[in-house]
Amino acid sequence: MPFLRLHAFFLPLRWRLWLLLAVLAGAPQARAQARHPADQWEFGIETGYLEKVRHNSPLDYRIVPTTLVWRSPPMFEIWRGKSGARLTVRNRMGLVIETFARGPEDYYLAFAGSPSFELWSADQKTAAFYEIGGGVGLVNSRHVPGGQGQDLSFNWFTQLGVRRQVAPRMGVTAGAYFTHHSNLGMTHPNPGIDVLGFKLGLIWTME
């Protein structure tokens, strides 16, 4: 009888220990799922359509941009509200692939980097973002009047948009996008390109 009483005492304790171990094992995963989207490395792809907005060239440029984007965790945080809303600044790095729907050139391959200012809602699902930066790349110049004078070309861009988390590790973006191409006057004439339009994107968390 003492043995049976002892057995009855340890049986529920053993199950409580197993339950505790299961909770502890699941805690890291729960914490990972609860991580803020801005606190993680991200990979994304953006594409859209751009039209000429400045008459620096007589040619009617139309460009289809595609950018492979990486964003870092925040470099720093500008503001955090009591509700959980926050304004962060992250690094943005992009591999730019542009195809010319209209214009003498066919493609532009470049790198572009910038800070990404992101204002996140308290529920961690929606953010407004602003990005401004630039880089350098190569265009297959054709040396036609009004076109680009050389292959080496610098780029400056700015983008204002909004993103929405549709799953714990996936988001979508939409924004207005402007970019300028120039070789900094290395050739004459140097009309450059100024185009404005929209971009849509998909984002995946890398952690």
Side-chain angles (χ1 to χ4, degrees):
M1 293 298 291
F3 173 78
L4 291 177
R5 285 197 298 271
L6 188 64
H7 181 73
F9 174 79
F10 278 106
L11 183 61
L13 177 61
R14 182 178 64 183
W15 282 109
R16 287 198 296 269
L17 288 175
W18 277 112
L19 180 61
L20 178 61
L21 289 174
V23 171
L24 291 176
Q29 181 179 0
R31 286 195 297 269
Q33 292 176 348
R35 290 186 65 188
H36 197 290
D39 291 334
Q40 306 175 65
W41 281 94
E42 294 178 339
F43 168 76
I45 183 168
E46 302 172 353
T47 190
Y49 187 76
L50 310 173
E51 296 185 356
K52 187 179 78 169
V53 293
R54 183 182 173 195
H55 297 293
N56 47 358
S57 169
L59 304 175
D60 189 21
Y61 276 102
R62 298 287 190 273
I63 293 177
V64 178
T66 301
T67 308
L68 303 179
V69 179
W70 291 265
R71 291 183 181 88
S72 73
M75 295 185 291
F76 56 90
E77 188 171 84
I78 297 176
W79 169 81
R80 182 189 289 262
K82 294 181 180 179
S83 65
R86 56 191 293 198
L87 176 60
T88 64
V89 181
R90 307 169 71 183
N91 285 309
R92 178 193 187 273
M93 297 150 281
L95 176 62
V96 181
I97 307 167
E98 295 181 352
T99 56
F100 288 67
R102 292 186 191 175
E105 296 82 25
D106 298 309
Y107 62 84
Y108 178 61
L109 302 177
F111 166 82
S114 75
S116 180
F117 299 87
E118 298 180 357
L119 178 60
W120 282 89
S121 62
D123 64 3
Q124 305 182 13
K125 294 183 179 297
T126 305
F129 65 88
Y130 177 67
E131 300 166 341
I132 182 169
V136 63
L138 297 173
V139 61
N140 65 330
S141 57
R142 300 298 182 85
H143 307 287
V144 302
Q148 306 310 294
Q150 65 179 28
D151 290 351
L152 179 66
S153 182
F154 297 89
N155 65 79
W156 290 265
F157 80 93
T158 184
Q159 182 171 212
L160 177 65
V162 64
R163 64 175 284 172
R164 176 72 178 177
Q165 295 299 116
V166 296
R169 301 188 64 178
M170 178 181 290
V172 295
T173 65
Y177 182 85
F178 167 84
T179 188
H180 168 73
H181 294 212
S182 173
N183 62 27
L184 301 180
M186 295 180 187
T187 61
H188 184 77
N190 173 38
I193 303 173
D194 290 281
V195 284
L196 173 68
F198 70 91
K199 290 179 78 176
L200 305 174
L202 283 173
I203 300 173
W204 296 271
T205 300
M206 298 175 66
E207 295 181 3

